[in-house]
Amino acid sequence: MCTEVFEQRNVCLDQILAERRSHRVFRQEFPAEDEIRPVLNAGLLAPFAAAAVGNSKDYFRRFFVMKRGSQSLNAAMPLVKDQVIRMAEGLEKDMEKNPALRAKAGMFAQRLSMIRKSGIVPGVGTAPYYIVAAERKGFPPVELQSLAHCMENMWLKATALGLGFQLVSVTSQMSTDPAFCAILGIPPGTWELMGCAIGHSEDELSPSIRPPVDEVTRWLE
Ligand SMILES: Cc1cc2nc3c(=O)[nH]c(=O)nc-3n(C[C@H](O)[C@H](O)[C@H](O)COP(=O)(O)O)c2cc1C
């Protein structure tokens, strides 16, 4: 391939990396399923822990697409909300006993408490699509790392297609919830989960701001 093509690819990639942002307010309209499918395919192209998941014929990565207003999402929403409430209550109790945790987890506890008060879990029913990715549990247990790669690929593809993307990390807490897993049609506790919300973003966000790379890098001898 000629240098010019590499340069063009590099410019495009840098642009997508810089434009990838967390979108949290979505327009009502549904992107077409044909816009969502390439995003899922990008997730499928992400690396996986080959030694951990083995070579079973039953493929180890799955996607579950729930549309706003659908029966599945309407059933999932209260389950995720209940999980957030349980997390908030558990964390508050632990923080009472543990001042170090109180100092460290205060901001997260506040966020859980806000979600609890509003009754709305950001990304679950607030966007046209709530998508759950699942990775079958293997050994060593590295499914969540694999899912992070999967999500990043999906995020970058969504950005390239002009779609807004929001991670919904509470989804990982749903992997052992029997009712939530029943909606997906998987046995509880056998797959790790991660989720995201996708739709057309209401906001145009400026590119990411990060410190200069030399400020956070040490080149070791
Ligand atoms: C492990 C992890 C979990 C995250 N969970 C959520 C989440 O549940 N909801 C959300 O809106 N953003 C979530 N985010 C997104 C971060 O808040 C976001 O990436 C960060 O604030 C930087 O903003 P940017 O994505 O716009 O660059 C998560 C990010 C990571 C890496």
Side-chain angles (χ1 to χ4, degrees):
M1 230 181 285
C2 69
T3 317
E4 207 178 305
V5 173
F6 279 120
E7 275 171 13
Q8 277 170 6
R9 286 168 20 140
N10 195 32
V11 168
C12 288
L13 181 59
D14 280 349
Q15 197 177 346
I16 294 164
L17 292 171
E19 284 178 8
R20 181 219 52 78
R21 293 296 314 275
S22 293
H23 291 269
R24 298 189 171 97
V25 188
F26 296 91
R27 296 213 298 262
Q28 284 292 312
E29 80 256 22
F30 287 96
E33 289 181 11
D34 278 350
E35 283 182 88
I36 300 299
R37 227 169 251 114
V39 176
L40 303 176
N41 194 50
L44 214 42
L45 288 172
F48 57 90
V53 287
N55 54 6
S56 149
K57 282 198 178 68
D58 178 27
Y59 205 67
F60 49 82
R61 187 170 291 167
R62 299 287 164 82
F63 300 98
F64 302 92
V65 181
M66 291 181 246
K67 279 176 100 165
R68 197 187 48 235
S70 65
Q71 208 182 330
S72 56
L73 189 51
N74 287 343
M77 281 164 62
L79 300 174
V80 183
K81 192 184 78 187
D82 288 351
Q83 177 59 31
V84 171
I85 293 171
R86 279 197 295 276
M87 279 165 73
E89 286 171 351
L91 184 58
E92 272 160 28
K93 267 195 204 133
D94 290 346
M95 280 168 46
E96 273 167 30
K97 289 180 268 165
N98 183 340
L101 179 67
R102 200 181 317 137
K104 205 164 147 186
M107 235 172 89
F108 183 64
Q110 256 179 26
R111 189 163 158 71
L112 290 180
S113 149
M114 267 168 55
I115 295 175
R116 193 174 163 187
K117 271 193 206 125
S118 70
I120 295 167
V121 181
V124 186
T126 57
Y129 291 95
Y130 170 51
I131 298 178
V132 177
E135 190 95 352
R136 189 151 27 79
K137 287 189 180 182
F139 190 85
V142 288
E143 305 77 44
L144 281 174
Q145 287 96 315
S146 281
L147 285 169
H149 292 291
C150 173
M151 285 288 145
E152 178 69 1
N153 262 22
M154 292 167 69
W155 204 337
L156 294 173
K157 185 67 173 181
T159 305
L161 292 171
L163 293 168
F165 184 107
Q166 176 181 24
L167 267 184
V168 184
S169 49
V170 67
T171 309
S172 68
Q173 307 294 320
M174 306 309 295
S175 65
T176 53
D177 184 303
F180 189 85
C181 290
I183 296 169
L184 307 184
I186 56 172
T190 52
W191 298 73
E192 278 298 351
L193 306 177
M194 187 45 72
C196 63
I198 299 184
H200 292 294
S201 179
E202 192 70 70
D203 302 320
E204 210 167 292
L205 302 178
S206 56
S208 296
I209 297 170
R210 298 289 189 268
V213 72
D214 283 336
E215 217 172 83
V216 294
T217 307
R218 278 175 67 199
W219 299 75
L220 302 179
E221 290 299 329

